Amino acid sequence: MQFELPRPIFDANANSGASPEGEGLGNLPEWDLNDLYTAEDAPELTRDMEWLEKACADFASTYEGKLDDLDAEGMLKCVQDYEAIDLIAGRIMSFAGLRYYQITTDAGRAKFMSDCQEKVTVFTTPLVFYSLEINRIDDDKLAEMFAENADLARYKPIFDRQRAMKPYQLSDELERFLHDQSTVGAAAWNRLFDETIAGLTFDIDGEELPLEAVLNMLTDQDRSKRETASHALAKVFEENIKIFSRVHNTLAKEKEIEDRWRKMPTAQTGRHLSNHVEPEVVEALRNAVVAAYPKLSHRYYALKAKWLGLEQMETWDRNAPLPKKDEKTVAWDDAKDIVMQAYNGFDPRMGELAEPFFNKGWIDAAVKPGKAPGAFAHPTVTNVHPYVMLNYLGKPRDVMTLAHELGHGVHQVLAAEQGELLASTPLTLAETASVFGEMLTFQQMLSEAKTKEERKILLAGKVEDMINTVVRQIAFYDFECKLHEARRNGELTPEDINTLWMSVQAESLGPVFNFEKGYETFWAYVPHFVHSPFYVYAYAFGDGLVNALYAVYAEGGEGFQEKYFDMLRAGGSKHHSELLAPFGLDASDPKFWDKGLSMISGMIDELEAMED
């Protein structure tokens, strides 16, 4: 099935903002989930759950063992029936998941989500045959059906993606087993991680604070507060390191076992297939970024050390604000105005698409006890609308996070036109609209800078965001590659994982950093590694793509807005090569990535020139 739970993903470019109280932020919006269901016991939810059980059984009874005998019209009906099931299952799990992430420490919400997941898994187990039988249909026969029926041909990208898994397909019985046991496999370890993270508290001068508030302190102007926060994080991570190590060991081993049975050549293969991207394209991206470490992160952090008056930086200085930086809190309404002005400035249609998120209860913004950390935009299902989760605390970086998640939301609204099966965008393209939304917001703020100092602060902030999005995420990707490779050779101790983490940190951050004891455990809280192995390179892919895309826009490319909206509307119906071709861009060209990286390097050039 296509549905999945919304995942709390830390934005690549953000550490959330101020104190949990949210003073001076104004009225922060909360979700209104009534567009999905009104309550756990809503009659509509009961009705849909009963419908889902019967629909899955009927689907299996009607189609199992018969897909190869269907004509084009029959195959279209089969796909549409499957899509209807996907829609209802996705609606149920979206409601359960979004409620859970609002308060992950609420036992009732956790039970409700778990119960829904178990029921949906049981109901949909009879559907496992569907993808297996599709992969057994002869290529020529499918091609004939697509040629005969245009409505069926519209679904060809779904067939293509599914059939890319053909070489790695297991027996029908094994596929059913893997589907059936999923709720007590990775999903259970994901939940243990989420609940452990949400339950952590950190002692800051006698006050117990949650993770978000302490991560925010790493961006405090006061260096002693940043150090205190870093030590508090290290202490609690170390106290819980055995749990985090067990989670990573188990998930990596489970993945290795399944990959081995499927005969996947690498641990990354499954992610590349789901992203519909060629391994050599990802490798070209990775190599380009690693080669650029010296002219990007190493050079920038050396410059930042000079600004901070330090010969050597500690890890808690990485996201420190610049001296004299305005620490004024950005109220929620002001943040909305900034982002909406940028969106409307690009095209009024973009503003119209973003407006309902603010006035119809599609955003949950406040930091609350037990709420999942980070931020995400979840598309739910195509006949409802997306929901955005933030932990908004009023820092300028939080404004960028709002711009980022709204970009996802706009993308998801437009892609919904494709229908449930074709709307979902591969991760490599899913970051396009979000990063573009950030770039629009940044460029607007930069154009309004009134002094050299204000421009410097904005440029430095954007460079840091881009380094976090590109350099740091590729370092994360290398860490995951090393972790999964090492796990194939046996159980990893916490110290083993710490060593792998530090090997990529030193390489990516550069010689200006001193790595004090404690930082070696900071891999423990990153949810990408647990929920979505190898997700992280999608951030770098998206940033590089958007940098190249924005350059075309800045050059005044004819009809750019129309091409851009067409790209977003396409959802998952086209390959990245097809989507980029109208802009004259090609991600398979190694020079494509250098073009994106040169934008970051150019901003650092300007910052260095300001020192003269």
Side-chain angles (χ1 to χ4, degrees), residues 296-322:
L296 299 181
S297 49
H298 296 189
R299 186 162 62 117
Y300 174 74
Y301 288 127
L303 189 59
K304 184 170 185 176
K306 179 180 176 182
W307 293 336
L308 295 175
L310 301 171
E311 290 188 10
Q312 198 158 38
M313 287 170 57
E314 299 291 345
T315 55
W316 55 78
D317 298 316
R318 184 173 62 85
N319 285 322
L322 300 189

PDB file of all heavy atoms in Angstrom, residues 296-322:
ATOM      1  N   LEU A 296      33.489  25.035   1.176  1.00  0.00           N
ATOM      2  CA  LEU A 296      32.192  25.362   1.752  1.00  0.00           C
ATOM      3  C   LEU A 296      32.284  25.405   3.274  1.00  0.00           C
ATOM      4  O   LEU A 296      32.562  26.445   3.845  1.00  0.00           O
ATOM      5  CB  LEU A 296      31.132  24.360   1.286  1.00  0.00           C
ATOM      6  CG  LEU A 296      30.867  24.281  -0.227  1.00  0.00           C
ATOM      7  CD1 LEU A 296      29.784  23.259  -0.522  1.00  0.00           C
ATOM      8  CD2 LEU A 296      30.477  25.635  -0.792  1.00  0.00           C
ATOM      9  N   SER A 297      32.056  24.287   3.925  1.00  0.00           N
ATOM     10  CA  SER A 297      31.978  24.276   5.386  1.00  0.00           C
ATOM     11  C   SER A 297      33.300  24.650   6.042  1.00  0.00           C
ATOM     12  O   SER A 297      33.323  25.444   6.999  1.00  0.00           O
ATOM     13  CB  SER A 297      31.507  22.904   5.882  1.00  0.00           C
ATOM     14  OG  SER A 297      32.250  21.869   5.288  1.00  0.00           O
ATOM     15  N   HIS A 298      34.426  24.109   5.573  1.00  0.00           N
ATOM     16  CA  HIS A 298      35.710  24.419   6.210  1.00  0.00           C
ATOM     17  C   HIS A 298      35.984  25.918   6.133  1.00  0.00           C
ATOM     18  O   HIS A 298      36.405  26.557   7.106  1.00  0.00           O
ATOM     19  CB  HIS A 298      36.846  23.656   5.516  1.00  0.00           C
ATOM     20  CG  HIS A 298      36.728  22.170   5.636  1.00  0.00           C
ATOM     21  ND1 HIS A 298      37.740  21.315   5.228  1.00  0.00           N
ATOM     22  CD2 HIS A 298      35.749  21.368   6.127  1.00  0.00           C
ATOM     23  CE1 HIS A 298      37.371  20.063   5.441  1.00  0.00           C
ATOM     24  NE2 HIS A 298      36.163  20.072   5.980  1.00  0.00           N
ATOM     25  N   ARG A 299      35.731  26.489   4.956  1.00  0.00           N
ATOM     26  CA  ARG A 299      36.013  27.916   4.741  1.00  0.00           C
ATOM     27  C   ARG A 299      35.052  28.792   5.538  1.00  0.00           C
ATOM     28  O   ARG A 299      35.460  29.772   6.177  1.00  0.00           O
ATOM     29  CB  ARG A 299      35.904  28.228   3.248  1.00  0.00           C
ATOM     30  CG  ARG A 299      36.317  29.645   2.861  1.00  0.00           C
ATOM     31  CD  ARG A 299      36.621  29.769   1.376  1.00  0.00           C
ATOM     32  NE  ARG A 299      35.480  29.490   0.541  1.00  0.00           N
ATOM     33  CZ  ARG A 299      34.912  30.382  -0.285  1.00  0.00           C
ATOM     34  NH1 ARG A 299      35.372  31.624  -0.333  1.00  0.00           N
ATOM     35  NH2 ARG A 299      33.898  30.048  -1.049  1.00  0.00           N
ATOM     36  N   TYR A 300      33.765  28.416   5.522  1.00  0.00           N
ATOM     37  CA  TYR A 300      32.788  29.248   6.231  1.00  0.00           C
ATOM     38  C   TYR A 300      33.026  29.223   7.736  1.00  0.00           C
ATOM     39  O   TYR A 300      32.993  30.278   8.392  1.00  0.00           O
ATOM     40  CB  TYR A 300      31.354  28.804   5.928  1.00  0.00           C
ATOM     41  CG  TYR A 300      30.371  29.573   6.782  1.00  0.00           C
ATOM     42  CD1 TYR A 300      30.079  30.907   6.503  1.00  0.00           C
ATOM     43  CD2 TYR A 300      29.817  29.009   7.926  1.00  0.00           C
ATOM     44  CE1 TYR A 300      29.236  31.644   7.310  1.00  0.00           C
ATOM     45  CE2 TYR A 300      28.960  29.742   8.745  1.00  0.00           C
ATOM     46  CZ  TYR A 300      28.681  31.056   8.434  1.00  0.00           C
ATOM     47  OH  TYR A 300      27.861  31.789   9.254  1.00  0.00           O
ATOM     48  N   TYR A 301      33.247  28.036   8.305  1.00  0.00           N
ATOM     49  CA  TYR A 301      33.398  27.969   9.758  1.00  0.00           C
ATOM     50  C   TYR A 301      34.696  28.639  10.225  1.00  0.00           C
ATOM     51  O   TYR A 301      34.754  29.176  11.339  1.00  0.00           O
ATOM     52  CB  TYR A 301      33.327  26.521  10.239  1.00  0.00           C
ATOM     53  CG  TYR A 301      31.931  25.948  10.169  1.00  0.00           C
ATOM     54  CD1 TYR A 301      31.670  24.746   9.512  1.00  0.00           C
ATOM     55  CD2 TYR A 301      30.849  26.616  10.734  1.00  0.00           C
ATOM     56  CE1 TYR A 301      30.381  24.221   9.442  1.00  0.00           C
ATOM     57  CE2 TYR A 301      29.561  26.112  10.660  1.00  0.00           C
ATOM     58  CZ  TYR A 301      29.330  24.909  10.015  1.00  0.00           C
ATOM     59  OH  TYR A 301      28.059  24.404   9.940  1.00  0.00           O
ATOM     60  N   ALA A 302      35.728  28.650   9.380  1.00  0.00           N
ATOM     61  CA  ALA A 302      36.944  29.402   9.717  1.00  0.00           C
ATOM     62  C   ALA A 302      36.625  30.897   9.784  1.00  0.00           C
ATOM     63  O   ALA A 302      37.124  31.625  10.660  1.00  0.00           O
ATOM     64  CB  ALA A 302      38.034  29.135   8.689  1.00  0.00           C
ATOM     65  N   LEU A 303      35.783  31.358   8.848  1.00  0.00           N
ATOM     66  CA  LEU A 303      35.356  32.759   8.850  1.00  0.00           C
ATOM     67  C   LEU A 303      34.495  33.052  10.071  1.00  0.00           C
ATOM     68  O   LEU A 303      34.657  34.097  10.729  1.00  0.00           O
ATOM     69  CB  LEU A 303      34.565  33.025   7.556  1.00  0.00           C
ATOM     70  CG  LEU A 303      34.186  34.467   7.214  1.00  0.00           C
ATOM     71  CD1 LEU A 303      35.430  35.345   7.096  1.00  0.00           C
ATOM     72  CD2 LEU A 303      33.384  34.488   5.907  1.00  0.00           C
ATOM     73  N   LYS A 304      33.616  32.127  10.410  1.00  0.00           N
ATOM     74  CA  LYS A 304      32.745  32.335  11.560  1.00  0.00           C
ATOM     75  C   LYS A 304      33.542  32.372  12.864  1.00  0.00           C
ATOM     76  O   LYS A 304      33.237  33.176  13.765  1.00  0.00           O
ATOM     77  CB  LYS A 304      31.691  31.229  11.633  1.00  0.00           C
ATOM     78  CG  LYS A 304      30.685  31.443  12.767  1.00  0.00           C
ATOM     79  CD  LYS A 304      29.510  30.487  12.691  1.00  0.00           C
ATOM     80  CE  LYS A 304      28.485  30.815  13.755  1.00  0.00           C
ATOM     81  NZ  LYS A 304      27.272  29.969  13.668  1.00  0.00           N
ATOM     82  N   ALA A 305      34.565  31.531  12.966  1.00  0.00           N
ATOM     83  CA  ALA A 305      35.417  31.553  14.165  1.00  0.00           C
ATOM     84  C   ALA A 305      36.037  32.944  14.346  1.00  0.00           C
ATOM     85  O   ALA A 305      36.108  33.473  15.459  1.00  0.00           O
ATOM     86  CB  ALA A 305      36.511  30.485  14.051  1.00  0.00           C
ATOM     87  N   LYS A 306      36.439  33.538  13.237  1.00  0.00           N
ATOM     88  CA  LYS A 306      37.012  34.891  13.284  1.00  0.00           C
ATOM     89  C   LYS A 306      35.977  35.884  13.792  1.00  0.00           C
ATOM     90  O   LYS A 306      36.261  36.739  14.637  1.00  0.00           O
ATOM     91  CB  LYS A 306      37.499  35.272  11.885  1.00  0.00           C
ATOM     92  CG  LYS A 306      38.100  36.673  11.778  1.00  0.00           C
ATOM     93  CD  LYS A 306      38.535  36.941  10.346  1.00  0.00           C
ATOM     94  CE  LYS A 306      39.050  38.370  10.187  1.00  0.00           C
ATOM     95  NZ  LYS A 306      39.429  38.662   8.773  1.00  0.00           N
ATOM     96  N   TRP A 307      34.739  35.784  13.298  1.00  0.00           N
ATOM     97  CA  TRP A 307      33.665  36.689  13.745  1.00  0.00           C
ATOM     98  C   TRP A 307      33.389  36.529  15.236  1.00  0.00           C
ATOM     99  O   TRP A 307      33.079  37.492  15.920  1.00  0.00           O
ATOM    100  CB  TRP A 307      32.379  36.396  12.979  1.00  0.00           C
ATOM    101  CG  TRP A 307      32.425  36.722  11.523  1.00  0.00           C
ATOM    102  CD1 TRP A 307      33.247  37.630  10.899  1.00  0.00           C
ATOM    103  CD2 TRP A 307      31.625  36.140  10.491  1.00  0.00           C
ATOM    104  NE1 TRP A 307      33.007  37.644   9.546  1.00  0.00           N
ATOM    105  CE2 TRP A 307      32.003  36.746   9.265  1.00  0.00           C
ATOM    106  CE3 TRP A 307      30.629  35.173  10.477  1.00  0.00           C
ATOM    107  CZ2 TRP A 307      31.427  36.402   8.051  1.00  0.00           C
ATOM    108  CZ3 TRP A 307      30.034  34.838   9.269  1.00  0.00           C
ATOM    109  CH2 TRP A 307      30.431  35.437   8.072  1.00  0.00           C
ATOM    110  N   LEU A 308      33.487  35.288  15.714  1.00  0.00           N
ATOM    111  CA  LEU A 308      33.198  35.021  17.126  1.00  0.00           C
ATOM    112  C   LEU A 308      34.403  35.282  18.026  1.00  0.00           C
ATOM    113  O   LEU A 308      34.300  35.161  19.254  1.00  0.00           O
ATOM    114  CB  LEU A 308      32.747  33.562  17.298  1.00  0.00           C
ATOM    115  CG  LEU A 308      31.424  33.167  16.615  1.00  0.00           C
ATOM    116  CD1 LEU A 308      31.170  31.673  16.778  1.00  0.00           C
ATOM    117  CD2 LEU A 308      30.249  33.965  17.190  1.00  0.00           C
ATOM    118  N   GLY A 309      35.556  35.626  17.418  1.00  0.00           N
ATOM    119  CA  GLY A 309      36.756  35.891  18.198  1.00  0.00           C
ATOM    120  C   GLY A 309      37.371  34.631  18.781  1.00  0.00           C
ATOM    121  O   GLY A 309      37.977  34.663  19.854  1.00  0.00           O
ATOM    122  N   LEU A 310      37.238  33.517  18.065  1.00  0.00           N
ATOM    123  CA  LEU A 310      37.734  32.236  18.559  1.00  0.00           C
ATOM    124  C   LEU A 310      38.818  31.699  17.631  1.00  0.00           C
ATOM    125  O   LEU A 310      38.703  31.772  16.408  1.00  0.00           O
ATOM    126  CB  LEU A 310      36.586  31.211  18.624  1.00  0.00           C
ATOM    127  CG  LEU A 310      35.382  31.566  19.507  1.00  0.00           C
ATOM    128  CD1 LEU A 310      34.253  30.564  19.276  1.00  0.00           C
ATOM    129  CD2 LEU A 310      35.794  31.587  20.983  1.00  0.00           C
ATOM    130  N   GLU A 311      39.876  31.152  18.215  1.00  0.00           N
ATOM    131  CA  GLU A 311      40.878  30.468  17.404  1.00  0.00           C
ATOM    132  C   GLU A 311      40.380  29.092  16.999  1.00  0.00           C
ATOM    133  O   GLU A 311      40.714  28.584  15.930  1.00  0.00           O
ATOM    134  CB  GLU A 311      42.202  30.351  18.173  1.00  0.00           C
ATOM    135  CG  GLU A 311      42.915  31.680  18.355  1.00  0.00           C
ATOM    136  CD  GLU A 311      44.301  31.496  18.938  1.00  0.00           C
ATOM    137  OE1 GLU A 311      44.771  30.328  19.015  1.00  0.00           O
ATOM    138  OE2 GLU A 311      44.924  32.509  19.314  1.00  0.00           O
ATOM    139  N   GLN A 312      39.605  28.481  17.892  1.00  0.00           N
ATOM    140  CA  GLN A 312      39.038  27.173  17.602  1.00  0.00           C
ATOM    141  C   GLN A 312      37.596  27.147  18.108  1.00  0.00           C
ATOM    142  O   GLN A 312      37.293  27.680  19.165  1.00  0.00           O
ATOM    143  CB  GLN A 312      39.858  26.064  18.263  1.00  0.00           C
ATOM    144  CG  GLN A 312      39.596  24.695  17.668  1.00  0.00           C
ATOM    145  CD  GLN A 312      40.746  23.742  17.928  1.00  0.00           C
ATOM    146  OE1 GLN A 312      41.347  23.761  19.006  1.00  0.00           O
ATOM    147  NE2 GLN A 312      41.059  22.894  16.954  1.00  0.00           N
ATOM    148  N   MET A 313      36.709  26.535  17.335  1.00  0.00           N
ATOM    149  CA  MET A 313      35.306  26.466  17.708  1.00  0.00           C
ATOM    150  C   MET A 313      34.998  25.113  18.334  1.00  0.00           C
ATOM    151  O   MET A 313      35.577  24.099  17.980  1.00  0.00           O
ATOM    152  CB  MET A 313      34.408  26.681  16.480  1.00  0.00           C
ATOM    153  CG  MET A 313      34.389  28.123  16.018  1.00  0.00           C
ATOM    154  SD  MET A 313      33.569  28.366  14.425  1.00  0.00           S
ATOM    155  CE  MET A 313      31.957  27.705  14.702  1.00  0.00           C
ATOM    156  N   GLU A 314      34.049  25.135  19.280  1.00  0.00           N
ATOM    157  CA  GLU A 314      33.490  23.898  19.819  1.00  0.00           C
ATOM    158  C   GLU A 314      32.208  23.579  19.050  1.00  0.00           C
ATOM    159  O   GLU A 314      31.652  24.446  18.366  1.00  0.00           O
ATOM    160  CB  GLU A 314      33.191  24.058  21.314  1.00  0.00           C
ATOM    161  CG  GLU A 314      34.401  24.362  22.169  1.00  0.00           C
ATOM    162  CD  GLU A 314      35.381  23.199  22.281  1.00  0.00           C
ATOM    163  OE1 GLU A 314      34.992  22.047  21.926  1.00  0.00           O
ATOM    164  OE2 GLU A 314      36.527  23.429  22.709  1.00  0.00           O
ATOM    165  N   THR A 315      31.742  22.380  19.165  1.00  0.00           N
ATOM    166  CA  THR A 315      30.544  21.995  18.414  1.00  0.00           C
ATOM    167  C   THR A 315      29.335  22.837  18.807  1.00  0.00           C
ATOM    168  O   THR A 315      28.436  23.042  17.988  1.00  0.00           O
ATOM    169  CB  THR A 315      30.228  20.504  18.624  1.00  0.00           C
ATOM    170  OG1 THR A 315      30.124  20.238  20.036  1.00  0.00           O
ATOM    171  CG2 THR A 315      31.315  19.636  18.019  1.00  0.00           C
ATOM    172  N   TRP A 316      29.320  23.343  20.038  1.00  0.00           N
ATOM    173  CA  TRP A 316      28.179  24.174  20.453  1.00  0.00           C
ATOM    174  C   TRP A 316      28.242  25.590  19.866  1.00  0.00           C
ATOM    175  O   TRP A 316      27.333  26.387  20.059  1.00  0.00           O
ATOM    176  CB  TRP A 316      28.044  24.228  21.973  1.00  0.00           C
ATOM    177  CG  TRP A 316      29.268  24.689  22.716  1.00  0.00           C
ATOM    178  CD1 TRP A 316      29.698  25.963  22.865  1.00  0.00           C
ATOM    179  CD2 TRP A 316      30.194  23.863  23.441  1.00  0.00           C
ATOM    180  NE1 TRP A 316      30.837  26.011  23.636  1.00  0.00           N
ATOM    181  CE2 TRP A 316      31.165  24.726  24.008  1.00  0.00           C
ATOM    182  CE3 TRP A 316      30.304  22.499  23.680  1.00  0.00           C
ATOM    183  CZ2 TRP A 316      32.223  24.253  24.783  1.00  0.00           C
ATOM    184  CZ3 TRP A 316      31.352  22.027  24.445  1.00  0.00           C
ATOM    185  CH2 TRP A 316      32.297  22.897  24.985  1.00  0.00           C
ATOM    186  N   ASP A 317      29.316  25.894  19.136  1.00  0.00           N
ATOM    187  CA  ASP A 317      29.413  27.179  18.443  1.00  0.00           C
ATOM    188  C   ASP A 317      28.921  27.097  16.995  1.00  0.00           C
ATOM    189  O   ASP A 317      28.815  28.119  16.321  1.00  0.00           O
ATOM    190  CB  ASP A 317      30.864  27.670  18.425  1.00  0.00           C
ATOM    191  CG  ASP A 317      31.414  27.919  19.829  1.00  0.00           C
ATOM    192  OD1 ASP A 317      30.676  28.515  20.640  1.00  0.00           O
ATOM    193  OD2 ASP A 317      32.564  27.520  20.095  1.00  0.00           O
ATOM    194  N   ARG A 318      28.629  25.899  16.532  1.00  0.00           N
ATOM    195  CA  ARG A 318      28.307  25.704  15.109  1.00  0.00           C
ATOM    196  C   ARG A 318      27.111  26.545  14.682  1.00  0.00           C
ATOM    197  O   ARG A 318      27.116  27.179  13.629  1.00  0.00           O
ATOM    198  CB  ARG A 318      28.048  24.222  14.833  1.00  0.00           C
ATOM    199  CG  ARG A 318      27.795  23.890  13.376  1.00  0.00           C
ATOM    200  CD  ARG A 318      27.719  22.384  13.148  1.00  0.00           C
ATOM    201  NE  ARG A 318      26.623  21.791  13.889  1.00  0.00           N
ATOM    202  CZ  ARG A 318      25.369  21.727  13.463  1.00  0.00           C
ATOM    203  NH1 ARG A 318      25.047  22.250  12.283  1.00  0.00           N
ATOM    204  NH2 ARG A 318      24.421  21.162  14.189  1.00  0.00           N
ATOM    205  N   ASN A 319      26.060  26.560  15.473  1.00  0.00           N
ATOM    206  CA  ASN A 319      24.856  27.326  15.131  1.00  0.00           C
ATOM    207  C   ASN A 319      24.717  28.593  15.970  1.00  0.00           C
ATOM    208  O   ASN A 319      23.615  29.125  16.118  1.00  0.00           O
ATOM    209  CB  ASN A 319      23.611  26.452  15.293  1.00  0.00           C
ATOM    210  CG  ASN A 319      23.464  25.453  14.178  1.00  0.00           C
ATOM    211  OD1 ASN A 319      23.750  25.754  13.029  1.00  0.00           O
ATOM    212  ND2 ASN A 319      23.033  24.240  14.503  1.00  0.00           N
ATOM    213  N   ALA A 320      25.824  29.075  16.498  1.00  0.00           N
ATOM    214  CA  ALA A 320      25.782  30.308  17.291  1.00  0.00           C
ATOM    215  C   ALA A 320      25.382  31.484  16.410  1.00  0.00           C
ATOM    216  O   ALA A 320      25.781  31.564  15.240  1.00  0.00           O
ATOM    217  CB  ALA A 320      27.151  30.578  17.907  1.00  0.00           C
ATOM    218  N   PRO A 321      24.585  32.412  16.945  1.00  0.00           N
ATOM    219  CA  PRO A 321      24.272  33.623  16.174  1.00  0.00           C
ATOM    220  C   PRO A 321      25.507  34.502  16.063  1.00  0.00           C
ATOM    221  O   PRO A 321      26.429  34.413  16.883  1.00  0.00           O
ATOM    222  CB  PRO A 321      23.179  34.289  17.009  1.00  0.00           C
ATOM    223  CG  PRO A 321      23.412  33.807  18.403  1.00  0.00           C
ATOM    224  CD  PRO A 321      23.952  32.412  18.265  1.00  0.00           C
ATOM    225  N   LEU A 322      25.534  35.334  15.058  1.00  0.00           N
ATOM    226  CA  LEU A 322      26.668  36.232  14.899  1.00  0.00           C
ATOM    227  C   LEU A 322      26.613  37.339  15.940  1.00  0.00           C
ATOM    228  O   LEU A 322      25.537  37.728  16.399  1.00  0.00           O
ATOM    229  CB  LEU A 322      26.659  36.852  13.504  1.00  0.00           C
ATOM    230  CG  LEU A 322      26.745  35.890  12.320  1.00  0.00           C
ATOM    231  CD1 LEU A 322      26.944  36.683  11.039  1.00  0.00           C
ATOM    232  CD2 LEU A 322      27.852  34.882  12.497  1.00  0.00           C
TER     233      LEU A 322
END
